[in-house]
């Protein structure tokens, strides 16, 4: 466990300050060679110490191994708020267990994201989060990896944190959508809908002080809050009547209230594959492919919560 608060002014000296595109990487000990072709566009934050440091041509900024990818991403936003790239793609050190596009394809899709929207990536479908009293780890054997780890608890429910720091109101959503693994791209204008002080308060409350831990429960909550925070109109379902008519939205994602949920008792969490996804305006690519996955199950009030991320690296001692 890491106890002292890390400084808020850690910056990568090799980082461009006026880039059109940047890849922010939350790294522990993963092989980052898949990023080498775009090394000049990468801002890597490594939490694995010197023995796990990324190899050239990648440069990196060391961070303490706390807070999972949520701490990394918020740290970047707070420190570079006024110098964010035009588009930022946020990723973990390993993504091939969540995404089956090439890095060039991911960049192309990222550059097309409209202001106010969030670009997510197949093959994983968006999933539903609606356990506002806390994540029921014991109901899902596939989440044992996380439930068996030493975890720093918050002393507040996901709903209390959501109301205080995400929507800053007292309404209770039916559910929100999240991208497993917190892999997404946004324009800086979308990030700037909230002030730097907003993100700094979220970073300090969720990941510093007593929550400066290798596996804080707030890391799992933050994974589920990103989309709702950045595009609440699309990713927060406020009532059961607030349900999209069509299965998919304009970005090809499962639409509001139709998000996938992992069945209770799942031993292996394969999620749901995103089918018929359009990679760009000139071509389409079937992503249903070769893996048999659970059927897509729309959100409903009487079904239990969805997936726990299978991230590599974050949360390791």
């Amino acid at each position: 466990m890491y106890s002292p608060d890390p400084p808020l002014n850690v910056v990568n000296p090799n980082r461009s300050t006026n880039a059109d595109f940047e890849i922010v990487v939350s790294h522990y000990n993963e092989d980052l060679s898949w990023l080498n072709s775009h090394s000049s566009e990468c801002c890597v934050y490594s939490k694995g110490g010197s023995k796990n440091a990324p190899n050239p041509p990648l440069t990196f900024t060391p961070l303490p191994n706390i807070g999972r990818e949520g701490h990394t991403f918020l740290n970047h936003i707070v420190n570079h708020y006024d110098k964010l790239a035009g588009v930022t793609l946020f990723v973990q050190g390993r993504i091939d267990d969540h995404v089956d596009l090439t890095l060039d394809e991911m960049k192309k899709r990222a550059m097309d994201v409209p202001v106010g929207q969030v670009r997510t990536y197949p093959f994983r479908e968006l999933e539903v989060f609606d356990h506002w009293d806390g994540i029921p780890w014991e109901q899902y054997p596939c989440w044992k990896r996380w439930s068996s780890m030493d975890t720093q608890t918050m002393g507040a429910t996901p709903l209390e944190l959501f109301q205080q720091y995400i929507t800053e109101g007292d309404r209770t959503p039916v559910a929100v959508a999240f991208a497993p693994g917190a892999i997404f791209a946004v324009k800086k204008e979308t990030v700037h809908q909230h002030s730097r002080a907003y993100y700094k308060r979220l970073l300090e409350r969720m990941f510093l002080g007593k929550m400066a831990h290798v596996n804080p429960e707030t890391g799992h909550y933050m994974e589920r809050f990103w989309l709702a925070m950045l595009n609440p109109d699309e990713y927060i379902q406020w009532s059961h009547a607030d349900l999209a008519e069509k299965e998919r939205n304009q970005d090809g994602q499962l639409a509001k209230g139709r998000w996938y949920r992992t069945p209770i008792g799942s031993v292996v969490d394969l999620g749901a594959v995103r089918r018929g996804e359009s990679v760009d305006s000139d071509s389409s690519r079937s992503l249903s492919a070769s893996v048999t996955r659970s059927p897509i199950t729309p959100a409903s009030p009487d079904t239990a919560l969805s997936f726990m991320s299978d991230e590599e690296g974050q949360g390791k001692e």
Side-chain angles (χ1 to χ4, degrees), residues 2 12 33 37 45-46 65 70 95 98 116 125 136 140 156 158 173 175 177 188 194 201 234 236 239 260 276 310:
Y2 182 89
N12 189 330
S33 60
S37 62
Y45 296 93
S46 184
N65 187 24
I95 65 169
H98 291 87
E125 293 281 16
Y140 297 87
K188 67 178 177 182
H194 303 296
R201 183 172 65 250
E234 181 67 36
I236 301 179
S239 71
Y260 173 79
D310 183 33

Side-chain angles (χ1 to χ4, degrees), residues 184-225:
F184 61 93
V186 287
K187 277 188 161 59
K188 67 178 177 182
E189 294 87 351
T190 305
V191 177
H192 284 169
Q193 70 184 284
H194 303 296
S195 68
R196 181 182 182 274
Y198 172 94
Y199 294 108
K200 184 173 183 288
R201 183 172 65 250
L202 192 58
L203 173 63
E204 292 173 341
R205 175 65 166 150
M206 292 282 213
F207 300 116
L208 302 185
K210 79 167 187 175
M211 300 310 293
H213 188 275
V214 66
N215 186 42
E217 63 178 352
T218 47
H220 303 287
Y221 299 159
M222 195 64 220
E223 179 186 5
R224 289 154 172 77
F225 291 168

Side-chain angles (χ1 to χ4, degrees), residues 9 13 16 128 187 207 215 258 266:
N9 61 348
S16 172
V128 60
K187 277 188 161 59
F207 300 116
N215 186 42
R258 299 183 178 276
S266 296

Side-chain angles (χ1 to χ4, degrees), residues 247-267:
E247 182 184 37
R248 297 195 177 271
N249 63 20
Q250 61 185 3
D251 198 39
Q253 303 163 328
L254 290 177
K256 183 181 292 188
R258 299 183 178 276
W259 307 307
Y260 173 79
R261 67 173 70 245
T262 296
I264 291 176
S266 296
V267 176

Side-chain angles (χ1 to χ4, degrees), residues 126-133 158-159 162-163 166-167 171-179 221 223-229 231-244 254-261 297-307:
L126 295 187
E127 309 213 7
V128 60
F129 177 72
D130 57 3
H131 271 256
W132 297 111
D133 292 332
L159 178 60
F162 190 85
Q163 291 175 334
I166 305 302
T167 59
R171 297 176 67 190
T172 301
V174 170
V176 297
F178 74 99
Y221 299 159
E223 179 186 5
R224 289 154 172 77
F225 291 168
W226 281 108
L227 301 188
M229 180 177 69
N231 187 353
D233 290 343
E234 181 67 36
Y235 302 115
I236 301 179
Q237 184 185 14
W238 287 110
S239 71
H240 295 299
D242 188 19
L243 181 69
L254 290 177
K256 183 181 292 188
R258 299 183 178 276
W259 307 307
Y260 173 79
R261 67 173 70 245
T297 306
S300 61
D302 57 350
T303 315
L305 169 72
S306 63
F307 157 85

